[in-house]
């Protein structure tokens, strides 16, 4: 039973109706243990992806501030071999980046075959923050859903496995997290007035997210809504989704590597025969 | 008591005299527990480095084939937050890279402030494989020790903390690891005739390493020889060395962040007063 909700193509999403505190009656301990077990499976699958070198993996993380993007990356880092995986964070575009189309800087960070890249924020900021803050006219950003779909389709055609997560927290949970951050003296530098200001635009962001989820969940690059009020359930849902996504490729990757192994053995035998 | 040996400036290193199976009478269990404890400290230190954003960290991994570079990266990945850390692997230069000086591709991968980069092989290949295989005349490669020292000094001046590890295994241990790899049907694709061929050049590589360790261990960028026959001791020594290297920066990073926190709090108070 999948813990995250896979958004169907053109599904009209009402985020208010999706329970952000869902935990399927699991306790933290049981969830953590399951995550750990699935994490080991994820680890093996990434090794195969890395060694086989036929596919790449792109993980997109989006969500409201404090939604848990950083925490999710920390969780994944425990299972993913850093040699085949990196994080690309997209902040406000630099001067140089602003001189290009919105996908230019994104495209530079897409993973090569064998590699995994985690996007901390992504191309979707250009239909989220840009839309909510009216940084560009509607005529510009409304075209972008289509641009993004074509872009992701192009990656898919080049053997990129794409998994997009919307980390779903409630407005109340966000307030609690911001207040917690404020209380913790040792983390007070993480405070930001910006977060409180953005919070006032909660419903605008929600609307923008609902459109992005609806218009850009495709067979090549599905969106998953992850209940994220409970961090341990969020971790479980993300890891489970990744394992389920990669599993169908396992057999093919393994077969390729066994073939490769046979060739290596032949070559080594020839080398030894020559020396003997 | 440091587990790795820090090479002094101009120290004449005889690798044969350095015990690669050293384990200081520790058992695997005790070493693993200590590594885990130190690993948590390393994790906190990297968080501070990331948040403070005043320094960067460059970890260089070198060693004979099967020496444990990949295993060391796996160990470090458990403690380093992937958001502030990535791996750069240097293989045979590409056609494009070959058209530039030997440091060109290396320089592109050095860490920005706040970031950590782990070099899996490095600029040192250009005084190792290049020298052993006579890929270039001696007149070319012998100048490079000096070039590397200047290059690393330049990074140091830009607040890069540099730690270089030579993972030291014995020739017997290498043979055992190559044979183990061969026996493991599920890893047979990792076999490589190349590794057996390179092994025949063991003493040439040893000599080249001894020169690199001697000529390029500086105050800005010291070399550490890590006894690596026991993987668990290797992990312990690497993590310990990193913790000891970063510790002296802790107070300064923390103070900077506390200052930043105070500013954030003031700004937030002003924002709230304005709204009230």
């Amino acid at each position: 039973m999948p813990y995250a909700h896979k958004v169907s193509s053109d599904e009209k999403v009402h985020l208010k109706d999706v329970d952000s505190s869902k935990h399927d009656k699991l306790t933290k301990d049981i969830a953590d243990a399951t995550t750990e077990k699935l994490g080991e499976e994820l680890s093996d699958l990434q090794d195969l992806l890395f060694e086989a070198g036929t596919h790449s993996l792109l993980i997109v993380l989006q969500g409201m501030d404090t939604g848990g993007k950083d925490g999710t990356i920390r969780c994944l880092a425990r299972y993913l071999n850093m040699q085949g995986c990196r994080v690309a964070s997209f902040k406000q575009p630099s001067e140089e980046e602003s001189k290009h189309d919105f996908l230019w800087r994104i495209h530079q960070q897409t993973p090569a075959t064998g590699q995994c890249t985690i996007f901390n924020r992504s191309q979707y900021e250009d239909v989220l923050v840009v839309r909510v803050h009216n940084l560009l006219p509607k005529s510009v950003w409304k075209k972008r859903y289509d641009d993004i779909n074509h872009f992701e389709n192009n990656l898919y055609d080049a053997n990129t496995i794409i998994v997009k997560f919307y980390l779903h927290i409630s407005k109340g949970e966000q307030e609690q997290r911001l207040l917690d951050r404020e209380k913790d003296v040792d983390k007070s530098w993480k405070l930001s007035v910006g977060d409180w200001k953005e919070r006032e635009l909660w419903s605008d962001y929600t609307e923008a997210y609902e459109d992005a989820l609806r218009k850009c969940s495709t067979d090549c690059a599905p969106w998953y809504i992850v209940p994220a009020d409970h961090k341990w359930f969020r971790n479980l849902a993300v890891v489970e989704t990744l394992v389920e996504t990669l599993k169908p490729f396992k057999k093919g990757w393994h077969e390729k590597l066994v073939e490769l192994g046979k060739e290596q053995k032949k070559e080594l035998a020839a080398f030894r025969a020559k020396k003997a």
Side-chain angles (χ1 to χ4, degrees), chain A:
Chain A
M1 169 196 45
Y3 296 119
H5 171 71
K6 184 174 181 173
V7 180
S8 309
S9 176
D10 199 36
E11 178 183 338
K12 211 166 171 187
V13 177
H14 297 287
L15 285 172
K16 266 200 174 159
D17 301 338
V18 183
D19 183 8
S20 58
S21 69
K22 170 176 135 119
H23 57 83
D24 287 0
K25 288 183 186 159
L26 293 176
T27 61
K28 180 178 185 307
D29 285 351
I30 290 175
D32 283 349
T34 315
T35 303
E36 188 65 26
K37 226 175 117 181
L38 286 167
E40 280 163 31
E41 210 175 331
L42 176 60
S43 190
D44 290 343
L45 286 162
Q46 189 219 351
D47 272 346
L48 285 172
L49 177 131
F50 180 74
E51 300 284 351
T54 53
H55 291 76
S56 57
L57 173 63
L58 174 60
I59 301 170
V60 172
L61 296 178
Q62 286 284 163
M64 302 284 195
D65 292 330
T66 77
K69 295 184 287 295
D70 293 351
T72 302
I73 293 171
R74 264 175 206 277
C75 165
L76 291 176
R78 281 169 48 217
Y79 308 117
L80 298 175
N81 180 3
M82 210 194 264
Q83 196 140 205
C85 185
R86 53 186 207 82
V87 177
S89 297
F90 297 98
K91 305 194 172 156
Q92 214 174 308
S94 70
E95 205 188 320
E96 175 70 10
E97 288 168 349
S98 301
K99 290 178 185 164
H100 295 268
D101 74 276
F102 79 104
L103 293 170
W104 181 78
R105 62 174 188 157
I106 308 289
H107 213 156
Q108 292 178 35
Q109 304 291 343
T110 52
T113 48
Q115 296 286 318
C116 162
T117 305
I118 303 174
F119 278 6
N120 186 348
R121 303 186 188 273
S122 65
Q123 58 271 28
Y124 286 95
E125 289 299 319
D126 294 286
V127 290
L128 293 164
V129 64
V130 167
R131 168 176 166 166
V132 168
H133 285 279
N134 290 308
L135 300 181
L136 288 170
K138 182 171 180 180
S139 59
V140 174
W141 59 252
K142 81 172 185 192
K143 247 198 94 275
R144 290 183 169 175
Y145 300 102
D146 223 31
D147 294 335
I148 290 174
N149 285 340
H150 277 98
F151 173 71
E152 292 176 354
N153 193 273
N154 172 39
L155 299 180
Y156 173 84
D157 285 341
N159 283 346
T160 305
I161 303 162
I162 307 174
V163 192
K164 300 180 296 195
F165 293 109
Y166 171 67
L167 305 178
H168 181 40
I169 56 166
S170 70
K171 201 176 173 187
E173 176 66 20
Q174 186 191 52
E175 183 173 26
Q176 198 50 54
R177 290 186 186 185
L178 286 173
L179 290 172
D180 286 351
R181 211 178 264 184
E182 203 172 331
K183 266 180 241 155
D184 188 345
V185 187
D186 244 28
K187 299 270 161 182
S188 57
W189 60 80
K190 290 194 174 175
L191 264 180
S192 160
V193 182
D195 292 342
W196 286 98
K197 282 187 186 158
E198 287 300 278
R199 182 173 159 75
E200 299 186 344
L201 299 165
W202 183 274
S203 62
D204 293 342
Y205 271 109
T206 299
E207 209 178 302
Y209 264 114
E210 285 171 349
D211 269 358
L213 293 168
R214 177 180 182 176
K215 291 175 199 257
C216 299
S217 199
T218 61
D219 288 341
C220 319
W223 269 112
Y224 291 85
I225 301 175
V226 177
D229 279 357
H230 298 288
K231 293 171 185 174
W232 43 268
F233 190 79
R234 170 201 77 204
N235 288 346
L236 172 61
V238 166
V239 172
E240 185 206 42
T241 305
L242 289 172
V243 168
E244 290 305 318
T245 302
L246 296 179
K247 248 189 202 165
F249 296 92
K250 188 172 178 177
K251 198 165 160 262
W253 290 338
H254 196 261
E255 278 169 5
K256 194 197 152 173
L257 290 171
V258 169
E259 273 314 301
L260 201 61
K262 281 184 198 160
E263 281 168 39
Q264 297 282 12
K265 277 199 172 164
K266 255 188 238 166
E267 217 181 307
L268 187 55
F271 170 72
R272 283 184 178 142
K274 207 171 138 195
K275 277 182 66 77

